[in-house]
């Protein structure tokens, strides 16, 4: 009886010591998260319901007035539409291209079996290179690529052949698609490496068994690679969707009027920055930030639910 009590006491003490260690280990990061992440969000919610302009010491509480103004703000809803397009197109193009290149690097070799193309290690480095560059550097780089004269990388050959240069960033009908191309170029490399790592973990025996059954490369990708890589694709899709809602630096640095011409490339983050630091409408910008916050959370929850499926173990 005594031994049973002593064993029970020892288990309790061990569990208490472990719980105390876990709580002590997590206390500092949780505190930092509360101070530097949760606290600014809470302040943004409060500021959004005032008339604070960044300089008035005693802002007045105005309730939902800023959100009512948002309903009639055509520029803001134009920005929401652009973010909505990016939310669909950026993950779609990036994931599709990244999966294609990753499959080539891991299973596109000309030899027998599931081998990658020659020099696949070098290509992984090349694909990943844009991730090393700062976003502002990428924006300045593509400003030069899209220049509408003979010094532009794309327009130079056109001018040399006597053709009219294309206003990639000055034509409202083209500017948004030019920005989308830059975003895809910047993001694809990371997901090529991510998907390549996922494909490398798939047992070769599965591919060999499918090949013995007569499966071609397309069937191997659709029936073997994609189902086993689905969790990784799901994570990449969600990250890209959140990135599409958070686009700022590329638009702000690359485009005329920081979202132009004629608001043809503006996004929610650009309008938040413009209203806060150019017009000093901090409360109005905070209301936009609150809307962006709910859009982001809603997208993440919806994407997780729609892409939920039975996990495949291997």
């Amino acid at each position: 009886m005594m031994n049973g009590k002593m064993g029970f006491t020892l288990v309790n003490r061990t569990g208490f010591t472990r719980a105390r260690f876990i709580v002590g280990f997590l206390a500092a990061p949780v505190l930092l998260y509360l101070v530097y992440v949760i606290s600014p969000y809470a302040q943004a919610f409060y500021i959004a319901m005032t008339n604070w302009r960044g300089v008035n010491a005693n802002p007045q509480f105005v309730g939902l007035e800023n959100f009512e103004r948002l309903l009639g703000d055509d520029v803001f809803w134009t920005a929401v539409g652009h973010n909505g397009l990016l939310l669909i197109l950026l993950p779609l193009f990036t994931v599709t291209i990244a999966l294609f290149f990753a499959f080539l690097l891991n299973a596109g070799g000309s030899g027998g079996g599931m081998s990658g193309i020659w020099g696949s290690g070098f290509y992984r480095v090349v694909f990943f290179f844009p991730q090393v560059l700062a976003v502002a550097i990428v924006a300045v780089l593509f400003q030069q690529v899209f220049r509408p004269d003979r010094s532009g990388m794309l327009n130079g050959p056109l001018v040399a052949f006597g053709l009219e240069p294309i206003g990639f960033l000055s034509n409202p009908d083209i500017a948004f698609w030019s920005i989308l191309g830059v975003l895809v170029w910047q993001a694809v490399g990371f997901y090529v490496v991510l998907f390549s790592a996922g494909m490398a973990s798939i047992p070769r025996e599965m591919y060999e068994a499918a090949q013995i059954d007569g499966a071609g490369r397309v069937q191997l990708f659709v029936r073997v690679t994609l189902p086993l890589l689905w969790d990784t694709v799901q994570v990449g899709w969600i990250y890209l969707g959140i990135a599409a809602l958070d686009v700022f630096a590329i638009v702000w640095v690359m485009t005329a009027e920081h979202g132009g011409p004629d608001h043809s490339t503006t996004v929610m983050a650009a309008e938040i920055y413009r209203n806060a630091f150019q017009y000093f409408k901090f409360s109005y910008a905070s209301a936009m930030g609150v809307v962006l916050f709910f859009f982001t959370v809603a997208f993440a929850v919806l994407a997780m639910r729609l892409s939920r499926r039975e996990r495949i173990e291997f």
Side-chain angles (χ1 to χ4, degrees), residues 235-313:
V235 171
W237 196 282
I238 293 173
Y239 281 165
L240 283 165
I242 294 174
L245 290 171
D246 195 34
V247 171
F248 171 72
I250 293 289
V251 171
W252 194 262
V253 176
M254 282 187 63
T255 59
E257 305 167 6
H258 306 301
D262 298 329
H263 306 295
S264 60
T265 59
T266 192
V267 290
M268 284 188 281
E271 292 307 313
I272 292 171
Y273 186 91
R274 191 192 322 277
N275 279 274
F277 298 105
Q278 288 187 346
Y279 305 150
F280 298 102
K281 299 178 181 178
F282 282 89
S283 59
Y284 192 52
S286 296
M288 293 181 178
V290 170
V291 173
L292 177 58
F293 168 78
F294 282 113
F295 279 165
T296 305
V297 172
F299 163 75
V301 172
L302 185 62
M304 290 291 290
R305 286 189 175 275
L306 291 179
S307 58
R308 183 180 298 172
R309 51 175 287 175
E310 184 178 349
R311 184 180 179 88
I312 300 177
E313 299 287 349

Side-chain angles (χ1 to χ4, degrees), residues 86-104:
L86 290 175
L87 186 62
I88 298 171
L89 299 178
L90 179 60
L92 178 63
F93 291 157
T94 303
V95 169
T96 302
I97 296 171
L99 282 173
F100 173 74
F101 284 129
F103 190 70
L104 283 182

Side-chain angles (χ1 to χ4, degrees), residues 1 31 34-35 46 49 59 100 124 133 171 180 183 200 202 228 243-244 252 272 290 301:
M1 187 72 177
L31 179 62
L34 289 173
V35 172
Y46 169 72
M49 292 186 287
F100 173 74
R124 286 191 182 94
L133 301 176
N171 187 335
L180 175 61
L183 293 171
I202 298 175
L228 296 178
W252 194 262
I272 292 171
V290 170
V301 172

Side-chain angles (χ1 to χ4, degrees), residues 104-185:
L104 283 182
L105 294 178
N106 288 272
S110 57
M114 294 301 295
S115 59
I117 61 175
W118 182 85
S120 58
F122 170 75
Y123 289 125
R124 286 191 182 94
V125 175
V126 172
F127 283 130
F128 191 78
F129 179 72
Q131 297 297 315
V132 180
L133 301 176
V135 178
I137 293 176
V138 172
V140 172
L141 173 66
F142 274 91
Q143 272 186 326
Q144 303 305 312
V145 171
F146 291 145
R147 281 181 65 116
D149 52 36
R150 65 175 60 253
S151 62
M153 183 180 294
L154 297 179
N155 279 315
L158 297 179
V159 174
F161 283 102
L163 301 175
E164 288 293 325
I166 299 173
F168 290 100
L169 297 177
S170 59
N171 187 335
D173 297 327
I174 302 176
F176 175 82
W177 303 102
S178 301
I179 295 296
L180 175 61
V182 175
L183 293 171
V184 171
W185 178 87

Side-chain angles (χ1 to χ4, degrees), residues 53-110:
R53 296 182 59 85
V55 292
N56 48 331
N58 298 308
Q60 296 178 346
F61 184 82
V62 296
L64 300 178
E65 181 179 315
N66 289 313
F67 296 97
E68 292 174 358
R69 287 177 55 195
L70 278 179
L71 295 177
D73 190 337
D74 293 336
V75 174
F76 176 72
W77 288 108
T78 298
V80 171
H82 291 155
N83 278 113
L85 274 176
L86 290 175
L87 186 62
I88 298 171
L89 299 178
L90 179 60
L92 178 63
F93 291 157
T94 303
V95 169
T96 302
I97 296 171
L99 282 173
F100 173 74
F101 284 129
F103 190 70
L104 283 182
L105 294 178
N106 288 272
S110 57

